[in-house]
Amino acid sequence: ATSSSETSGLASTSPPGRLKPFIIVTTLLLLLAGCGCFCCYWLDLLDGGEEAYGIGHKRPFGTSRHPQLPVPELADGFPPPGRFYQEQVRQLRPLLMRGAARQTRAFRMWDDDYFLQLPLDPNSSQVHVETTKKESRQQRTYDTPFHQFVRSYNTSGHYMVASMPRFLAPDFPLPWSLQCPDVAGALVEAIVWFSSGGTSSVVHTDAVDNLNCVLRGNKTFVMVDPAVHGHRVPIDRPEGSYSSMDVDSVDFRAYPSMADVQFYIAHLFPGDCLYIPFKWIHQVRSYGRNIAVNLWFDTALVRATDNCNEERPDPAWLIDTASFKGFGYRPPTDLFAETLRQAAGPLDFAALLDRIVPEHGELRTRFGDRFVDELSVVFKAFDTNGDSLMDLTEVEGQPVERLRDIDRHFLQFDRTVREMMEILARERDEL
């Protein structure tokens, strides 16, 4: 008998039946190889594993049996500063801004050829480099000339995580949403993230607000609202505000509360920017040759937003003209938590003052009680049960929406003490 394929003339083009499974599997493997780890990661999220992500889980951070939550999006560019501050920063709401960085010179120009033609002195163009793409806070790091990094990153697997170099800063204007005198004065740090892709961060929080712009490659941000699920995500390394859980294989037996976490997931493509609110828990992955710039800013320092540049973005407002205060300032939650652990128990106000400002007797004699009153406001804010004691549960259990106000009061106390200490130091030098 003659088969239908033979009579229809398809015998020469249709593979034998026994080869079809091999061809299908081979095709799928080639497709996966083409889209790389980006596809592998998200196929893993969709595979409907052990009882739909129950029992032991052992899947990447961001996998959940619960529906993903949508990140609010703006279709084209940054919102004006006033609106951004009122609707996102004050409300602690993330925002994905599509194409917001496309107008920057960095977006147009930053490639290896451009970097290598910059006239740089190797001694004055050092950048900080990490040696593992899966973040470890214990990994080896080193500094190297920028040109050396550009020549080697594709083969070394190393990852530049460096403060914005002065020779690149003119290429990146301050984002329009931050073009306010008060906000510009609250900038903490600008970081360039540069790799051949395939990087993943630990799960962590930032003690300040974060604006991250992708210029090359793609990034995926997995975020958790701390006001809703913060108590379920184990930030078990409080000294670094991060979690020790394996981001590629979250163990529900070790961290059972993770089974009930609901995630916001944002996919960023070249030119997109994401606002990550103060204290939001997040984890980041990168795909393909990857360059991003993030700006940290401390809204506890912002007093007014009524004098912002609201009409249109000013391209002349460049990062290299801004002043960054750095991370020398420790938020009160970190400082007080460490102090209480060292004390091995609750502290009343007098005991806390002794530990936070050992020189308080000399300062009070010379300058009065202003700084004591400022610290007292912070103490009372943490003493939520009104027993005149501060304990670790009160410090670590503060709702995120209250922490900004506490930070603002503590920052004033911190400034006052620093100014007094500087005056005393100058007076002693003059003796």
Side-chain angles (χ1 to χ4, degrees):
T2 305
S3 72
S4 60
S5 63
E6 289 172 336
T7 57
S8 62
L10 298 178
S12 62
T13 59
S14 179
R18 67 181 179 274
L19 290 179
K20 287 180 181 178
F22 172 78
I23 292 171
I24 292 170
V25 170
T26 302
T27 301
L28 288 172
L29 288 173
L30 289 171
L31 286 171
L32 282 174
C35 70
C37 291
F38 183 81
C39 292
C40 297
Y41 176 66
W42 291 108
L43 284 174
D44 192 40
L45 297 192
L46 297 171
D47 72 359
E50 191 176 28
E51 295 197 8
Y53 312 140
I55 311 178
H57 192 345
K58 293 289 188 176
R59 283 169 171 76
F61 183 79
T63 314
S64 177
R65 62 191 176 194
H66 304 290
Q68 296 176 12
L69 296 167
V71 178
E73 288 194 24
L74 193 61
D76 187 18
F78 293 109
R83 194 174 99 204
F84 174 72
Y85 193 78
Q86 294 300 324
E87 296 181 7
Q88 312 307 142
V89 175
R90 282 191 177 277
Q91 303 300 320
L92 296 169
R93 296 177 67 237
L95 181 65
L96 177 53
M97 294 155 277
R98 296 293 184 193
R102 285 181 170 271
Q103 302 306 313
T104 66
R105 179 178 169 86
F107 180 82
R108 297 192 303 272
M109 302 296 294
W110 282 12
D111 59 28
D112 293 358
D113 290 339
Y114 172 75
F115 292 146
L116 291 173
Q117 60 82 35
L118 293 171
L120 302 179
D121 176 357
N123 295 321
S124 60
S125 61
Q126 301 275 316
V127 294
H128 191 68
V129 176
E130 298 185 355
T131 54
T132 61
K133 289 188 174 183
K134 184 173 181 178
E135 183 182 6
S136 166
R137 299 287 172 96
Q138 289 76 47
Q139 68 176 289
R140 181 179 70 86
T141 64
Y142 65 96
D143 291 342
T144 191
F146 180 65
H147 280 169
Q148 178 61 37
F149 171 79
V150 175
R151 293 187 184 100
S152 65
Y153 76 97
N154 277 312
T155 56
S156 69
H158 291 181
Y159 185 15
M160 173 177 150
V161 182
S163 296
M164 173 74 80
R166 294 195 65 82
F167 52 83
L168 295 180
D171 295 342
F172 200 88
L174 191 66
W176 184 26
S177 299
L178 304 184
Q179 290 185 1
C180 300
D182 262 28
V183 177
L187 296 173
V188 175
E189 186 68 276
I191 300 291
V192 177
W193 309 78
F194 185 179
S195 76
S196 58
T199 65
S200 61
S201 77
V202 294
V203 177
H204 64 285
T205 68
D206 296 326
V208 290
D209 297 79
N210 186 348
L211 187 63
N212 194 301
C213 294
V214 174
L215 302 169
R216 296 289 182 271
N218 304 328
K219 283 188 185 291
T220 295
F221 288 76
V222 179
M223 299 181 290
V224 177
D225 183 347
V228 180
H229 293 291
H231 61 290
R232 295 189 172 101
V233 181
I235 304 297
D236 53 3
R237 301 301 298 270
E239 73 283 358
S241 300
Y242 70 98
S243 174
S244 60
M245 81 173 84
D246 184 349
V247 297
D248 294 325
S249 180
V250 177
D251 187 348
F252 277 8
R253 291 183 174 90
Y255 307 107
S257 61
M258 285 297 301
D260 296 316
V261 174
Q262 198 166 13
F263 299 95
Y264 291 81
I265 298 182
H267 304 292
L268 273 67
F269 304 97
D272 293 346
C273 297
L274 176 69
Y275 166 63
I276 305 168
F278 168 77
K279 286 289 185 181
W280 269 53
I281 300 161
H282 57 286
Q283 191 267 334
V284 192
R285 297 176 184 269
S286 72
Y287 308 95
R289 177 179 175 274
N290 214 274
I291 307 178
V293 172
N294 93 281
L295 293 164
W296 279 301
F297 56 103
D298 187 352
T299 53
L301 297 171
V302 177
R303 295 290 183 270
T305 56
D306 55 0
N307 56 349
C308 300
N309 173 29
E310 298 288 348
E311 293 186 6
R312 64 181 64 85
D314 181 358
W317 204 328
L318 298 174
I319 280 183
D320 66 344
T321 64
S323 175
F324 292 87
K325 72 185 187 71
F327 275 107
Y329 163 73
R330 290 190 69 190
T333 46
D334 293 354
L335 177 62
F336 292 165
E338 180 181 325
T339 302
L340 288 164
R341 288 190 184 95
Q342 292 172 349
L347 294 173
D348 62 19
F349 180 72
L352 180 73
L353 181 62
D354 283 340
R355 289 174 176 268
I356 298 295
V357 192
E359 311 88 345
H360 67 84
E362 182 180 3
L363 294 178
R364 293 174 90 163
T365 301
R366 175 71 173 79
F367 300 102
D369 286 343
R370 176 184 162 190
F371 75 98
V372 179
D373 295 339
E374 290 169 347
L375 183 61
S376 176
V377 172
V378 179
F379 180 89
K380 290 174 181 175
F382 277 118
D383 180 21
T384 51
N385 64 7
D387 65 353
S388 299
L389 293 172
M390 179 189 291
D391 62 44
L392 195 57
T393 302
E394 290 174 321
V395 169
E396 294 184 336
Q398 290 293 325
V400 68
E401 57 270 18
R402 292 194 64 210
L403 288 177
R404 271 217 182 98
D405 287 337
I406 293 174
D407 267 12
R408 186 170 288 112
H409 289 298
F410 185 79
L411 185 63
Q412 184 56 58
F413 157 78
D414 186 67
R415 281 176 169 172
T416 300
V417 172
R418 287 177 185 273
E419 289 169 1
M420 292 188 299
M421 295 297 291
E422 287 172 4
I423 292 170
L424 285 181
R426 286 197 300 270
E427 290 176 350
R428 288 168 183 156
D429 289 342
E430 292 169 359
L431 293 177

